[in-house]
Structures are given as C-alpha cells and as structure tokens.
Amino acid sequence: MSSANTAQPKPVLDVVGLAYGYGSGSASSDTVIRDLQLSVKEGEIVCILGASGCGKSTLLNLIAGLLQPRSGKIDVADASHASHGRIGYIFQQDALLPWRTVEANVMMAAELMPGVARDEARKLVLQYLQTFNLNESILKLHPASLSGGMRQRVSIIQSLMFNPKLFLLDEPFSALDFFTKLKLESEFYQLVKEKNKAAIMVTHDIEESVAMADRVLLMSQNGTFTKEFVIDLGDGPRSPESARGTARFAEYYRDIWAELKAVIAQ
Ligand SMILES: Nc1ncnc2c1ncn2[C@@H]1O[C@H](COP(=O)(O)OP(=O)(O)O)[C@@H](O)[C@H]1O
Ligand SMILES: [Mg+2]
C-alpha cells in the first residue's frame, strides 16, 4: 500500500468507451449506454442527472459488475484487495434483511469477509453510529421499526463495514422528507471527505447535486454524458447545508436546469 498522504488523489474508477444494451444484438436502437467515459478520484463526489430511462441505473449496475459491458473497460481500484469490499451500493429503498436485527445486519461484513474480527467490527459499528447520529439502542431493533432515514443510515453503515473505496448511490435520499434528507446529505458528505472515499450518486434533485458534488454530469437519452459542471463554491469549509446559501449555488442551479431541460427535451 502506498501512503495515504500523497499529493495527488488516486484514481478510484476509470471507465473508458463503455457500451451496453439489454438485447443480444448490437443495433443502435438497442444501445442504452454508448461510448461513455468516467473517472473518479478518491475524496470525490460525482452526481449524475438525466431524464428517466436514459441509463443511469444501468451504468451503476455495470460499474458494480452486475451487468457485463458490451464493449469498453471498467477499472475499479482495490478491486482485488482482500480487506476491501469492491463497492458499496445504496438504493432508494434499503436492502436490509428484515428478519435480522440492526446489529445482525451491520455485522454481516464480519460474517462474510475473511479476516474481519467481530470485536473490531463491533467497535467500528459504534463509531459509525456516532457519525450518523444514531443511538446504540437501535442495534437490538428490527429494520421495520425504524424510520426511513434511520434505515437508510443503517444501510450505509452496513456497506461501510465492507470497507469499500467507492460508493454507488441510486437516488438514495429521494424517499426521505426534506430535513432528513439534508441531514443525511451532510453526514454522507463528511464521511466521504473524512475517510477519503469516493461516490457516484444518481439523483433527480438539482439542488442536491450542487450541494454535494464536486462535479455534476448530465446524461442524455443517448446514454452518454453531454455536459460536466465542476462545482466550485469558493474557498473555505463546505457542507451541503452551507453550500445551499451561497450565490454561486443559485447560479449553478440555473445553469444546470437550463441544460437539463434541453437534454430532457431531446
Ligand atoms: N432489465 C432490463 N431489460 C430490458 N431493458 C431494460 C432493463 N432495465 C432497464 N431497461 C431499459 O434501459 C433503459 C435505461 O434504464 P435505466 O438504466 O433504468 O434508466 P434510469 O435509471 O436512467 O431511469 C430504459 O429504456 C429501460 O427501459
Ligand atoms: Mg434509475
């Protein structure tokens, strides 16, 4: 392992010339993703916006290795490292096992990954509960007795326990009420920055994308990225909440909305 304090952030994901279609042929009409490039570095949050059906979830499934590319290359750093889960995948609805307690859900990594000691894992769980403002008492509960926001936090902790470098998030906060969503955005943002993880987040919420992302990518109906916005809200510490109050925030919102309207109208 090279040291963590190298000057240049290391690449976490490299996608080159990616193409995919659900049919067996290679007809253009059947192509969902075409000639797509995407690089993500550690510490970076990239948000993807696009019309419904343009291929955002398909792209995440390809990166997660759930679908095999028709052509192109997907390189994930640390993919073969034994102590790392490859990728943490968070959906709109949590994927917790309902018959297991919260504790048994978040301790799954200790069961499934060789070399993860239970007592170490348990300590880590307690730390993550603090990060996500959850009380230890929820460990004994079952997912059904938690609010949506709590379940989503537990989902994130569950995947964090596999120690992935890269998170894929598919509209993760869109089923939550506004204030819960703001809190979770901040908690997740801090986590990525502090632990030097990386995240690709699909969202339909322009404000959320500007608040959280280092870069916002617009995906067209052609299944490729047509526009990139580098989000620079000025110097100083940033959080998704403080970002929302800045003048630049409103400008990015307006510019992205104008472009997104054009993309959706195609
Ligand atoms: N399992 C599947 N089989 C066939 N077509 C699919 C399948 N999943 C998605 N599609 C199609 O692929 C396109 C992209 O879908 P998807 O990636 O889910 O879009 P998004 O997440 O951007 O809304 C859509 O036209 C959708 O109908
Ligand atoms: Mg989708």
Side-chain angles (χ1 to χ4, degrees), residues 52-53 55-58 170-171 202:
S52 179
K56 303 179 296 295
S57 297
T58 302
D170 202 344
E171 306 195 358
V202 167

Side-chain angles (χ1 to χ4, degrees), residues 47-63:
C47 283
I48 298 175
L49 290 166
S52 179
C54 75
K56 303 179 296 295
S57 297
T58 302
L59 172 62
L60 294 191
N61 286 334
L62 283 159
I63 296 170

Side-chain angles (χ1 to χ4, degrees), residues 143-164:
S145 57
L146 305 180
S147 68
M150 288 163 96
R151 279 204 300 274
Q152 207 56 315
R153 289 175 167 99
V154 172
S155 277
I156 295 172
I157 294 173
Q158 185 189 50
S159 52
L160 266 169
M161 293 299 293
F162 288 87
N163 196 22

